[in-house]
Amino acid sequence: MEEIRKIIHIDMDAFYASIEQRDNKKLKGKPVIVGGDPHSRGVVATCSYEARKYGIHSAMPSSVAYKRCPYAYFIWPRFDVYKKVSRQIRDIFYRYTDLVEPISLDEAYLDVTNNKKGIKYATQVAKMIKDDILRETGLTSSAGVSYNKFLAKIASDYNKPNGLKVITPEDKQEFLDTLPINKFHGIGNVTERKLRNLGVNNGYDLRQLSINQLESIFKNRGYVFYQLARGVDDRKVEPYRERKSVGSETTLSSNLDMNDEEVLDILSEICEDVSNRLKHSNKVGKTITLKVKYDDFTKITRSISLEHPIYKAEDIRTSVYNLVKNLESNKGKIRLLGVTVSNLSEKEKNLTHITIFEYLDYIKESTKQ
């Protein structure tokens, strides 16, 4: 019998804002907003839990946040400090396992099935890691524990801040059935709208759709949604490797002409998927590549390089649609579509060298933190 994996997802609580409160004692217990100027085109990148009580959240215009809480402290991001703390936390992870997959500065997956301490229970490992982080950095974190990455990530968000949630194979279905559909990772805004139009509002509703129904609507991604509704995720925790590109592609269930409206809908979904992967990898990219494979198995690619790096779905989509316009419409029927973003760099690395207005464009659509 295959050993059940023990996966932990660690997510720091209001990471940037918590560091600012730690480093400036007068901010302790106060509403803190990390982001842009509230009297300009500022946008909230993240905020403390004290600020969230006023309905303030990331991606909100700072001017709106100011109206809701005019005595909040607005802080410009210090990414060099955040990176240093992130490395400190990552060193703690490596005390327990070498199977660490960082997702961004403030979160990571850990496979502790066979951990360095020889601890039997992943829940105990998670508690020890949380204690180490608090003692050595003065920051709290939330942990999700389960048998796969999908459930571990959902669990870490369940009892924030300073939470610890375990989802076992025995209780996973009851948990997923009541989970709102927008909490399923991998389901973006476009997909959520389509599902809600089908009457799918939670995991139970999603589980009622057959695999044939899902694949007829979402093509190959339908199989993924079918699996997630049942708590199935076979992805392994992959130790950090420098990414050279981030991409996504799908083989169509039926071949389409380039002029078919459905082609643009599929490309829109792919662009959103690539954008989510970039956000999770903390990357931005300058080169956008469209891949098309036809029914005779010939393959072509078209690329465009931009002056400034991007990561937002709408920016990627604009570039891809421009590439589509340059394709021959009579080439043949399409059987595969793919989008890749390359020429990557770290999002925060770029943000430390740009103007306030460029910074706003980066964080405006962010829902992280």
Side-chain angles (χ1 to χ4, degrees), residues 21-65:
Q21 288 179 317
R22 181 199 68 177
D23 293 352
N24 187 342
K25 300 305 179 185
K26 77 174 185 179
L27 300 178
K28 192 71 175 177
K30 302 291 176 55
V32 174
I33 297 171
V34 178
D37 186 349
H39 304 297
S40 181
R41 291 173 52 198
V43 177
V44 176
T46 186
C47 60
S48 67
Y49 287 95
E50 293 84 0
R52 297 181 190 191
K53 294 177 182 178
Y54 296 88
I56 298 170
H57 56 79
S58 56
M60 170 183 287
S62 296
S63 58
V64 175

Side-chain angles (χ1 to χ4, degrees), residues 10-19 21 46-49 52 89 106 130 133 139-143 156-157 159-163 368-369:
I10 298 288
D11 194 4
M12 300 301 297
D13 298 323
F15 187 48
Y16 300 168
S18 295
I19 290 176
Q21 288 179 317
T46 186
C47 60
S48 67
Y49 287 95
R52 297 181 190 191
I89 293 169
D106 65 336
K130 281 168 51 66
I133 292 173
L139 303 172
T140 63
S141 59
S142 294
S156 69
D157 194 46
N159 290 321
K160 273 185 162 291
N162 198 24
K368 191 66 182 76
Q369 303 296 330

Side-chain angles (χ1 to χ4, degrees), residues 333-350:
K333 288 189 175 293
I334 299 169
R335 70 184 312 270
L336 179 146
L337 290 166
V339 174
T340 300
V341 177
S342 57
N343 197 0
L344 302 178
S345 57
E346 289 186 22
K347 190 190 301 181
E348 275 83 3
K349 182 177 181 180
N350 282 278

Side-chain angles (χ1 to χ4, degrees), residues 12 57 60 70 73 93 99 103 172 178 195 252 254 289 301 338:
M12 300 301 297
H57 56 79
M60 170 183 287
Y73 293 83
F93 297 158
L99 295 178
I103 304 302
K172 53 93 176 177
T178 59
L195 286 169
L252 311 185
S254 59
T289 301
T301 59

Side-chain angles (χ1 to χ4, degrees), residues 102-105 107 109 153 185-186 235 243 273-283 311 347 368:
I103 304 302
S104 60
L105 289 181
E107 64 173 315
Y109 292 107
K153 182 168 177 64
H185 300 290
R235 294 174 301 155
R243 290 193 173 199
D273 186 29
V274 172
S275 175
N276 288 332
R277 296 186 187 198
L278 285 167
K279 291 174 186 176
H280 291 162
S281 303
N282 199 43
K283 299 290 186 181
Y311 74 96
K347 190 190 301 181
K368 191 66 182 76

